[in-house]
Amino acid sequence: MLRDPAFRNSLLTFLAFAVFIVPTTFVISLGAALLVARTRVMQSFFRSVFFLPTACSYVVAALVWKMSIFSGIRSGLANAVLGWFGIDSIPWLSLAEPPWYWLVIVTARLWLQVGFYMILFLAGIQRISPTLYEAAAIDGAEGWKVFRHITLPQLRATSTAVLLLLLINAFQAFDEFYNILSTFGTYPPYARPPLVYLYYTALGSGQDFGHGSAGAVILTLIIAIVAVVQGRILRLGDRGD
Amino acid sequence: MSDKEIGRGIGQALGSHLSRRSLFALGGAAAVTGVLAACGSNTGREPAATGGATGGGSGATLNQWYHQYGEAGTQQAVERYAAAYKDATVKVGWKPGDYDQSTAASLLTDAGPDVFEYGNGPTIDMIKGGQVVDLTDLVGDTKSDFNPSILERMTYEGKTYAIPQVVDMQLLVYRKSLLDKAGIAPPQTIDELIAAAKKLTQGNVKGLFLGNDGGAGLMGGPMLWSAGLDYLTADNQFGFDDPRAATALGKLREMWDAKVLLLGAPKDWFDPSALTAGLTAMQFTGLWTFPDLKKGLGDDFGVMAWPALDGSGKASVPVGAYGSCVSAKSKDVEAAKKFAKWLWIDQTAYQLDFATAYGFHIPSRTSLIGQATTLKEGQAAEAAKLATDVGHAQSPILWTPKCATAFGDAMNRIVKEGADPAGEIAKVKTVADAELKRVLA
């Protein structure tokens, strides 16, 4: 299985995806949480609006992204916007070079999951005692310094949980990839995360259960190793955290 | 006991009487029981008739599976046929979603169907694995009446494993008015087709639509045939290790580079909306779109085969058929075979109804084509003639899913990434040779 270039490729695809999506979601949802926490007017409105996409199914979102926002014709939303600036239509999902399909996949996932992690951060932020901020203000700290020395350290437990959840979510990458990129039973040879690849090998037309389960075992081992390493690095479960 | 007392009782149990481990063990046992219970019920299969019922008797219950046909009325029709069968109780399973794959997987279990349809008949692995039974004796004398290339596709080593239900075809459809306006005659070679597509690409209208992947998934076969080649040779060897194949597949990349292909249409090639909404002037699509094309375009469309590469190539249209198969795991194989014969061999009136009254298909029995009023005139008659004259089964039976995946990947790289066709064909050959060796062993 490890000699299969397509499987190795799928692991690379996943790695690239995780390296990008985990920090990006982390930063965006933390940013959104900070902004919402600071808002005095209509805070609950913004909170709900950002959280709403979480309630949407990955499949439905994937199809909306594929068929209406990023469809290749002029009337697709993205192409219509480009049209105002006189730019030619781009067939987002058909091109392999440049890989515009990543834009579609990543934006769909960001839209779906940012709201949820924002809520987690928001809860964390609201638990930070205001006295800390008051003390900092008296000491003359403001802006970035407050964030760096008070908010971020106080959010340590939340951040750890969010990172772990994000990584698990990234490992589970299947729904939006499958629904955005597959066409009529076939899937292009790129942007194939391990689950999609194994789906086609074992459950799909291949019906190759031997290789499928071998791949699943490898994947499980990788997830276990990553989880252990991450636990070590973030000192998960330490007393006093 | 009040709620409070129960709560305290549980608290005590957790706190003192039960260790953590035994609690987990209990929870685990409960979970396993739950899962087993879930597996036990609702498998979608009725318990087989037991006791007094003898094989093939009227007590048998058969499960017959279809994929979800898009056309209204089809489900009611097949349920009506099933209800009309007197020798067994037939339950129709109407399966949305990934039918081929879920059916293939279910054949390995006890929850599979007795009679089921499968695209172009069962796969070679189903046949080799003994999952489907030989239906040669059911077809019997009617053999000569079936579309020969389709029946051939469902036959392996002289044994027929499926009865063709209805024939479907793909073909090139074009807007007559757009071609006339541009002063173009229907193209006869691939180069003429490319020239026409270039001329027809204007503003937001593209010249040709071969699917959102630029034809990578759809046009591999037709391109090989247009060069006079095929997936496999007559003696089951790799069939397109040939410079002409590289040229032919490279033509798709030429169209891609010329930006004459419609890409990213909201609905893919199997839907006529790209053509009726004026997004493209020509489209490779299926016969099943004709009712919608008629509705959207009136008489403003023409049909033709996928042209030949050049003088020494051949024009072609892919034909395919769902074939009715019988599972070897059926509790009553004889009753299942009897029903398959009754419906797909004997009941010609139902076959005609199924082919023409709901969707737009061609009956698989040649003798029924003349009776199909939908195929009597116009574009439909031309299409039916193309299917008979230049129809080409989509892929040979020995072209396994693994070969198809390798070929699909290669086509994607050739068309979308501009990879060297000859090099990609060599890669497919490596996979296909190993597969042929495995299957023929």
Side-chain angles (χ1 to χ4, degrees):
Chain A
M1 200 66 194
L2 281 173
R3 257 182 283 143
D4 178 358
F7 184 66
R8 285 203 307 265
N9 231 330
S10 77
L11 292 175
L12 277 182
T13 300
F14 159 72
L15 203 70
F17 178 64
V19 162
F20 183 80
I21 199 77
V22 172
T24 312
T25 315
F26 187 90
V27 169
I28 294 181
S29 46
L30 181 57
L34 287 170
L35 288 179
V36 171
R38 204 175 261 210
T39 318
R40 291 282 162 260
V41 281
M42 301 211 297
Q43 196 198 51
S44 55
F45 168 77
F46 283 114
R47 207 169 48 202
S48 315
V49 162
F50 281 120
F51 183 68
L52 261 182
T54 307
C56 181
S57 139
Y58 268 65
V59 178
V60 171
L63 292 181
V64 169
W65 250 248
K66 175 185 187 167
M67 291 162 83
S68 92
I69 299 182
F70 286 104
S71 79
I73 54 170
R74 183 47 92 200
S75 60
L77 182 63
N79 277 328
V81 171
L82 288 185
W84 299 338
F85 302 100
I87 302 172
D88 250 0
S89 295
I90 296 176
W92 304 95
L93 292 167
S94 299
L95 294 183
E97 306 274 335
W100 284 117
Y101 53 86
W102 278 121
L103 178 76
V104 182
I105 290 172
V106 164
T107 49
R109 182 167 269 243
L110 283 177
W111 183 75
L112 281 163
Q113 66 180 15
V114 158
F116 177 70
Y117 297 104
M118 181 204 76
I119 292 289
L120 294 188
F121 278 125
L122 204 55
I125 289 171
Q126 284 167 350
R127 276 177 55 113
I128 300 174
S129 160
T131 53
L132 287 175
Y133 290 106
E134 283 160 15
I138 290 167
D139 288 345
E142 54 186 12
W144 170 251
K145 271 189 177 158
V146 176
F147 174 73
R148 169 76 187 74
H149 294 289
I150 297 180
T151 314
L152 212 51
Q154 289 290 316
L155 282 177
R156 208 181 115 80
T158 316
S159 309
T160 311
V162 166
L163 273 184
L164 199 68
L165 288 175
L166 274 175
L167 205 67
I168 291 172
N169 252 350
F171 264 113
Q172 290 172 338
F174 179 84
D175 301 33
E176 75 273 45
F177 281 85
Y178 182 77
N179 285 294
I180 287 178
L181 286 176
S182 77
T183 49
F184 210 61
T186 59
Y187 195 93
Y190 47 81
R192 234 178 340 206
L195 281 185
V196 172
Y197 179 69
L198 291 177
Y199 170 76
Y200 276 102
T201 304
L203 302 174
S205 50
Q207 295 280 312
D208 185 348
F209 296 113
H211 282 109
S213 23
V217 170
I218 295 172
L219 206 59
T220 314
L221 278 177
I222 295 175
I223 295 176
I225 292 169
V226 168
V228 168
V229 169
Q230 195 183 23
R232 274 286 158 84
I233 293 175
L234 297 170
R235 294 200 303 278
L236 202 66
D238 265 11
R239 306 255 164 211
D241 238 13
Chain B
M1 220 191 265
S2 74
D3 283 355
K4 239 180 210 163
E5 279 171 305
I6 294 174
R8 200 162 54 228
I10 292 175
Q12 276 170 354
L14 288 182
S16 54
H17 301 303
L18 281 176
S19 74
R20 211 187 233 196
R21 180 164 302 190
S22 59
L23 183 70
F24 276 144
L26 273 182
V32 169
T33 328
V35 169
L36 287 180
C39 285
S41 62
N42 193 22
T43 57
R45 188 191 178 104
E46 293 292 307
T50 48
T54 50
S58 58
T61 297
L62 300 173
N63 284 287
Q64 186 192 19
W65 284 13
Y66 293 91
H67 81 284
Q68 184 182 30
Y69 285 76
E71 303 97 354
T74 316
Q75 185 180 5
Q76 288 72 22
V78 297
E79 280 165 357
R80 200 172 68 240
Y81 311 152
Y85 187 59
K86 294 285 171 261
D87 291 344
T89 314
V90 180
K91 302 232 164 192
V92 170
W94 194 252
K95 305 283 173 184
D98 213 337
Y99 175 81
D100 284 2
Q101 293 166 10
S102 60
T103 305
S106 76
L107 287 180
L108 301 168
T109 71
D110 284 334
D114 299 289
V115 181
F116 65 98
E117 61 171 16
Y118 211 77
N120 291 324
T123 64
I124 186 68
D125 289 313
M126 289 181 195
I127 293 172
K128 285 273 183 178
Q131 296 172 353
V132 287
V133 300
D134 176 12
L135 303 181
T136 317
D137 53 326
L138 302 191
V139 178
D141 295 341
T142 57
K143 191 178 169 191
S144 57
D145 195 24
F146 281 99
N147 180 316
S149 68
I150 300 263
L151 198 65
E152 171 68 31
R153 174 65 178 75
M154 301 183 182
T155 304
Y156 180 65
E157 290 184 337
K159 291 176 181 165
T160 302
Y161 287 92
I163 310 169
Q165 296 178 173
V166 284
V167 175
D168 278 312
M169 66 181 292
Q170 293 154 17
L171 72 175
L172 191 59
V173 178
Y174 56 89
R175 290 278 294 270
K176 276 184 195 162
S177 59
L178 291 179
L179 265 70
D180 287 346
K181 214 168 85 190
I184 306 171
Q188 298 306 312
T189 64
I190 295 292
D191 283 327
E192 280 180 37
L193 179 72
I194 297 176
K198 281 181 182 160
K199 222 166 163 187
L200 290 165
T201 300
Q202 276 164 2
N204 286 334
V205 183
K206 291 288 187 181
L208 181 60
F209 185 35
L210 302 175
N212 282 333
D213 54 3
L218 188 61
M219 302 313 298
M223 265 310 187
L224 294 180
W225 307 329
S226 85
L229 300 163
D230 204 342
Y231 290 99
L232 300 175
T233 59
D235 55 348
N236 289 328
Q237 298 294 312
F238 188 76
F240 53 101
D241 188 11
D242 189 304
R244 277 176 64 78
T247 312
L249 299 182
K251 291 288 177 189
L252 287 173
R253 176 66 187 182
E254 196 181 321
M255 296 180 199
W256 177 283
D257 279 338
K259 295 195 185 309
V260 298
L261 296 178
L262 174 64
L263 297 169
K267 292 196 170 169
D268 218 334
W269 63 270
F270 46 80
D271 191 279
S273 58
L275 208 55
T276 53
L279 300 174
T280 179
M282 300 184 279
Q283 179 178 344
F284 200 74
T285 188
L287 183 68
W288 55 85
T289 58
F290 276 33
D292 286 339
L293 283 173
K294 263 266 181 310
K295 213 186 289 167
L297 299 174
D299 234 2
D300 181 20
F301 72 101
V303 298
M304 58 179 290
W306 186 248
L309 182 64
D310 49 34
S312 52
K314 269 188 286 197
S316 64
V317 289
V319 291
Y322 269 94
S324 194
C325 320
V326 172
S327 165
K329 278 214 167 194
S330 167
K331 292 245 161 47
D332 196 339
V333 171
E334 284 313 310
K337 279 171 77 172
K338 217 169 137 191
F339 170 67
K341 177 173 190 301
W342 176 82
L343 181 55
W344 297 115
I345 304 275
D346 301 339
Q347 299 299 315
T348 46
Y350 286 159
Q351 290 158 32
L352 191 63
D353 178 68
F354 186 67
T356 58
Y358 315 99
F360 204 86
H361 315 275
I362 304 174
S364 54
R365 305 275 288 266
T366 326
S367 60
L368 293 179
I369 297 180
Q371 297 175 34
T373 47
T374 46
L375 301 174
K376 275 220 160 39
E377 54 190 14
Q379 295 93 340
E382 286 175 52
K385 191 170 169 344
L386 287 176
T388 318
D389 295 348
V390 294
H392 203 301
Q394 280 162 318
S395 62
I397 193 164
L398 290 174
W399 193 250
T400 62
K402 209 165 182 177
C403 298
T405 305
F407 186 56
D409 287 359
M411 289 298 296
N412 259 295
R413 284 191 283 263
I414 293 169
V415 176
K416 290 182 168 182
E417 297 170 25
D420 167 40
E424 291 296 327
I425 290 173
K427 278 191 221 165
V428 180
K429 187 176 189 304
T430 321
V431 176
D433 283 346
E435 277 292 279
L436 286 171
K437 215 169 132 193
R438 173 182 76 82
V439 171
L440 294 173

